[in-house]
Amino acid sequence: MTFLYHRFRHLLIPVLLTVMAITLSQVYQANLNIWTDIISSLPYWLLIITAFIALQFNRSRLAFLSVLFMGYYALYQNNLFTLSLNMFSDKPVVIAGALVISLFATVKDRGILSSHGIMRLFLISMCLGFGFLWFWLLNRYDQQISLLLTTGLKPQYQLLIPMIICSAIVSFNAIRHTNLVNSAIFISLAIWIMHYYQPQWLPLSYLLSILAIVYLITILVDSYFLAYRDELTGLPSRRALFNLSLSLGRKYSVAMLDIDHFKKFNDTYGHDVGDQVLKLVASKLLNVSGGGKVFRYGGEEFTIIFPRKDTHYVIPHLDAVRQAIQDYNIVLRDEKRKTQTKAKRKTNSTKKYKAVKVTISIGTAERLAGHSFTQTLKKADEALYKAKKKGRNQVCS
């Protein structure tokens, strides 16, 4: 259960919060009617702000979607769809919108003022064109389709088929690549479908305001993690460490950890294996008991903070995690295996791979009266040097 939560939390939490926001808006809609004029113009302001902030943080997909939703809302508010689509149903627009959202679920964030931006605009126009082309083809070849399917393609299935395909693409991408931006795109499609099938449940102004807030929170939280999280290990970075130090009380302990002979390990097995070792050590350090908070300090160095604890308390917990890393066998697999076919992998499945071990040295220190965090960190670093000098793979204070 814990694994599933950590694997899908970036999808489940935004979706649950969005459902709560939509539900509360629907429940208290009568109370919000006095703000109708303000709420009707709110999507414009929120989506403009969202597009601007998204561009500042290089989230071009959300910037594009914000502008497109704002354009759709302007047309919808002024009844221009009724005027321009009086010979068609609104189904082509619904399909075109779903296709555009699916498009941004499958591409990466790229600069707008570049060849990528031009290509995005071209693909958006293709999606818009396909929405109308789909129904034109169904009407044009209705007799041939009827001969193939006996009863013809029922009107509800004409829309349902492309919507199911788009939903499958967006859902698969959100599950396979769980991050906040993909979750926001998943929510975009859900709101788009809801707006079409249940328009009476909540006005479009409410839905787009909620969606814009989802985008804003996504950009800000995602940018926070980008600034305060180490990309390789997923641990909080040194910046997060010093940010935490501002809120520590008078009593705490600091542990500095270093992977023994890591440079030699890198030179022997390559940087790719070295990166795997760093991630492995990080995952083991996360299991440290005693209330320790783990950070990647830099390179092969890590830091653990124990708020309100002294060194006598933390040493057994540090020694336990040191022992867990020492006892773990790292199996080195052939890097070519990633590019091999399944048949080739099966042929080589009986091949024995080399197993290696890594160890860590740990130095710890507790804060003394009148000492700053930097001074305590320096004492822990000195204790780490002592552990290395005494033979490595041990805890010193």
Side-chain angles (χ1 to χ4, degrees):
M1 193 68 180
T2 304
F3 169 77
L4 290 176
Y5 169 75
H6 284 288
R7 178 70 176 84
F8 298 112
R9 67 186 185 278
H10 294 309
L11 175 61
L12 294 176
I13 294 176
V15 169
L16 289 175
L17 292 177
T18 304
V19 170
M20 289 175 58
I22 291 174
T23 303
L24 290 172
S25 298
Q26 202 278 333
V27 170
Y28 294 103
Q29 186 178 345
N31 298 333
L32 296 172
N33 284 339
I34 59 174
W35 304 97
T36 299
D37 293 338
I38 295 176
I39 293 175
S40 63
S41 60
L42 193 58
Y44 293 117
W45 293 104
L46 287 177
L47 290 170
I48 288 173
I49 293 170
T50 301
F52 177 77
I53 294 177
L55 289 176
Q56 298 304 307
F57 288 96
N58 297 316
R59 295 294 179 264
S60 60
R61 291 184 291 171
L62 297 185
F64 266 117
L65 287 172
S66 298
V67 172
L68 290 171
F69 274 118
M70 184 172 60
Y72 173 79
Y73 183 66
L75 295 174
Y76 182 87
Q77 283 286 92
N78 294 284
N79 296 317
L80 294 181
F81 282 119
T82 304
L83 296 175
S84 60
L85 300 177
N86 52 9
M87 297 183 63
F88 299 94
S89 69
D90 54 355
K91 291 180 180 179
V93 178
V94 176
I95 291 178
L99 287 171
V100 170
I101 295 172
S102 302
L103 166 68
F104 286 111
T106 56
V107 299
K108 296 180 179 180
D109 286 305
R110 292 288 188 269
I112 289 181
L113 301 178
S114 65
S115 58
H116 296 286
I118 297 172
M119 180 58 68
R120 299 285 191 274
L121 293 175
F122 173 74
L123 292 174
I124 290 170
S125 63
M126 292 286 289
C127 292
L128 296 174
F130 183 83
F132 291 92
L133 180 64
W134 171 256
F135 285 96
W136 180 84
L137 290 172
L138 290 177
N139 293 328
R140 176 70 175 79
Y141 297 102
D142 182 62
Q143 293 182 351
Q144 290 86 336
I145 295 173
S146 298
L147 291 174
L148 290 173
L149 302 177
T150 308
T151 58
L153 193 61
K154 295 180 180 180
Q156 61 266 34
Y157 295 124
Q158 294 176 0
L159 177 64
L160 199 59
I161 290 174
M163 295 299 282
I164 289 175
I165 295 173
C166 290
S167 298
I169 292 171
V170 175
S171 300
F172 177 77
N173 185 73
I175 293 172
R176 185 182 180 188
H177 305 288
T178 53
N179 59 59
L180 292 176
V181 174
N182 286 335
S183 298
I185 294 173
F186 175 84
I187 292 169
S188 302
L189 182 61
I191 286 179
W192 182 252
I193 293 173
M194 177 184 169
H195 164 61
Y196 177 76
Y197 284 103
Q198 298 292 334
Q200 75 286 349
W201 211 67
L202 204 62
L204 183 61
S205 58
Y206 286 70
L207 292 175
L208 290 185
S209 296
I210 291 171
L211 183 61
I213 293 171
V214 169
Y215 283 2
L216 283 170
I217 294 174
T218 295
I219 295 166
L220 295 176
V221 173
D222 200 40
S223 300
Y224 170 83
F225 279 109
L226 187 65
Y228 287 92
R229 289 275 170 178
D230 174 58
E231 185 177 2
L232 177 65
T233 63
L235 294 177
S237 63
R238 186 191 301 192
R239 179 180 294 181
L241 169 66
F242 283 97
N243 192 51
L244 173 69
S245 70
L246 301 176
S247 61
L248 289 173
R250 295 182 177 181
K251 183 179 181 180
Y252 58 85
S253 291
V254 178
M256 289 294 291
L257 303 82
D258 186 278
I259 301 176
D260 297 328
H261 304 295
F262 185 72
K263 184 179 184 304
K264 183 178 178 181
F265 191 94
N266 254 349
D267 293 340
T268 303
Y269 299 108
H271 290 283
D272 289 337
V273 176
D275 288 346
Q276 294 300 315
V277 169
L278 287 171
K279 288 191 282 187
L280 167 69
V281 171
S283 67
K284 294 295 182 183
L285 293 178
L286 282 173
N287 296 325
V288 67
S289 55
K293 299 179 180 180
V294 186
F295 302 82
R296 186 182 181 192
Y297 192 78
E300 67 271 24
E301 286 190 311
F302 299 86
T303 306
I304 303 180
I305 304 295
F306 292 89
R308 301 179 299 278
K309 302 295 188 298
D310 56 29
T311 53
H312 295 293
Y313 175 86
V314 306
I315 284 176
H317 301 286
L318 292 171
D319 200 56
V321 77
R322 179 200 61 78
Q323 189 68 44
I325 293 172
Q326 177 189 329
D327 294 341
Y328 191 85
N329 289 325
I330 302 174
V331 179
L332 302 180
R333 297 185 180 274
D334 189 355
E335 284 297 312
K336 296 179 181 178
R337 187 175 184 272
K338 297 178 181 179
T339 59
Q340 290 175 348
T341 62
K342 289 184 178 180
K344 186 69 174 177
R345 291 181 187 178
K346 190 174 181 180
T347 303
N348 294 334
S349 61
T350 57
K351 180 180 177 180
K352 291 184 178 180
Y353 296 98
K354 185 176 181 180
V356 297
K357 290 180 179 290
V358 295
T359 59
I360 61 171
S361 299
I362 305 174
T364 182
E366 63 181 273
R367 178 188 177 273
L368 299 178
H371 279 205
S372 65
F373 177 77
T374 304
Q375 289 173 311
T376 308
L377 192 68
K378 185 177 180 181
K379 281 186 61 182
D381 198 50
E382 291 171 354
L384 171 61
Y385 179 76
K386 185 195 300 183
K388 285 183 170 294
K389 195 172 181 180
K390 290 174 66 176
R392 293 182 167 84
N393 190 26
Q394 56 188 284
V395 182
C396 286
S397 61

